[in-house]
Amino acid sequence: MKNIFKIGLCTISACIAFSCADTDRLEFEVEKPESIANQELLNSYLDLKDYVNRETNPNFKLGAGISLSDYINRNVIYRLSNRNFDELTAGYAMKHGAVVQSDGSLNLDNVNEFLTSASESEVSVFGHTLAWHANQKATYLNKLIAPDTLSSTGPGWDTITAADFESDNTSNYEANAAVTVSFTADGEGANGSGRALKVTNAEVRANDWNAQFFLKFSPVVQVGEKYTLTMDVRSDVNATYSTQAHVTPGAYKHWDFFGQIPSTPTWSTYTREIVVSESQATCGAIAFNLGLTATTYYFDNIRLTKYNETGSVQLEDKTPEKKQEIIGAALEDWISQMVTNCAPYVKAWDVVNEPMDDGNPYELKTGVGKTNLASDEFYWQDYLGKDYAVEAFKLARQYGNPDDKLFINDYNLEYSIDKCKGIIEYVKYIESQGQQVDGIGTQMHISINSNKENIATMFQLLAETGKLIKVSELDVRVFVEEPTEEILQQQADMYKYVVEMYEQYIPVNQRYGITVWGLIDSPENASWLPGEHQGLWTLDYTRKPAYTGFADGLEQL
């Protein structure tokens, strides 16, 4: 049926002398512009939460990811969110980096204002997030585990690390699998009274770096710093071996660090001073490449020192056990205060966020070996191990409400089915260690071209866990600056498809809900999906076809 405008015109002569009479009116019909008709259709839709059948989905929560400042300032987003959604997730303001101060204290003023405002509006709040690697107060956490200062004097050489091999402490050295490591008998060290380290390379390798021994140290070297390496060396036969700069053992950075080291059957002392070049900077390990000679190498009295022009500071790195203790306490301090503060209103938490590695989807992410860590990047798992999530769930359960719903959450589960399986296996591990995981969140930052079969498979796999399933951060980008009506319809179809697959594969008792992350399109200068037109509303808060597609999907729940 055509949309019609009726337009009435008076004849010119009649209009000059009189007002138009019925007999003077000329009426004709024109078709209403399609753009106006389409927008009227969009505007005729109800608010989104009105499309959720609460009788068949009594526990389903329709959520919105919002900026806390937008909400507490009670601007358009405040009204839009309250009218259309049941639950709110703060995009940044409830994360470690936003709340924890430089001294470790928590500033919860904004969080509490947000919770109060949401409570007054009778919308729930989903806690996001307790244990993540990004948006952390990393400067504070790294300060906690920084090396201890043993003494401080005037200008001179600071000992960065040392090893005399008189104890079995291996915290500052290691070797790769190509060599075997042992110790000499007491009295066979360089000074004839102690013991030394033996590193045996049993065969000639294709490359010298195929057999390596590493000296580890902290902090990492920086451009322009001056270092001296001193050590006693010998070998069963004459040999010469090179050194490499590594970020961490095995993470190669530069081919030369402390030069070529000559070694004979007689003990000798090797000393080399360097000024750190740009290609060596940020390294924290020296690799000794032992692969070109089949022999046993001996090391004793290794010492790495750094010149301090203003004062000599003697540092001692904390042991891994001590770092684990400190970071474990910091995690408890953060979760206990945050969860206790929010418990009167927050009944569900994203406890562990984005744990799985993209390249090794059955393993955890790690910061080890990364040379470009962001200032707010900190990996709890690098200090607490695989059980960091076990501890996080334990603490969230301990300090929250007895019936809180606790989630683990990750992205790209629909893109990488192995990653989906990986997080499911990690959930099994967490529960094997005695902690209950109530739900799994799948972020679903997808596009109009995302693989629909993978989306269906992901929901099937997640449903089979028996856990609550939450689409935690749904948005659909379009990849063009000026989307056509056809592309906008493809976006609408994808939003609808996600809800349809959720309804098809997730049983009613496992449907926690769906949270939309892109309410309005991102501007060109946004930090998240700039200019990607991913939202349900335009930048001027006009409904898009995506709104109707999403609403049509919700109506089928």
Side-chain angles (χ1 to χ4, degrees), residues 427 431 436-440 462-469 510:
V427 168
E431 297 200 319
Q436 179 179 328
V437 179
D438 297 311
I440 301 174
L462 294 177
E464 289 170 2
T465 67
K467 302 295 181 185
L468 293 172
I469 304 303
Q510 291 178 245

Side-chain angles (χ1 to χ4, degrees), residues 406-450:
L406 304 184
F407 283 75
I408 192 169
N409 179 58
D410 218 324
Y411 64 92
N412 276 358
L413 303 187
E414 78 292 325
Y415 175 78
S416 169
I417 298 303
D418 277 337
K419 192 174 185 183
C420 182
K421 293 177 180 178
I423 198 170
I424 291 171
E425 289 302 311
Y426 192 41
V427 168
K428 292 178 182 177
Y429 174 79
I430 295 169
E431 297 200 319
S432 75
Q433 302 305 303
Q435 296 306 313
Q436 179 179 328
V437 179
D438 297 311
I440 301 174
T442 173
Q443 291 184 16
M444 298 199 72
H445 299 297
I446 60 176
S447 75
I448 58 175
N449 301 320
S450 291

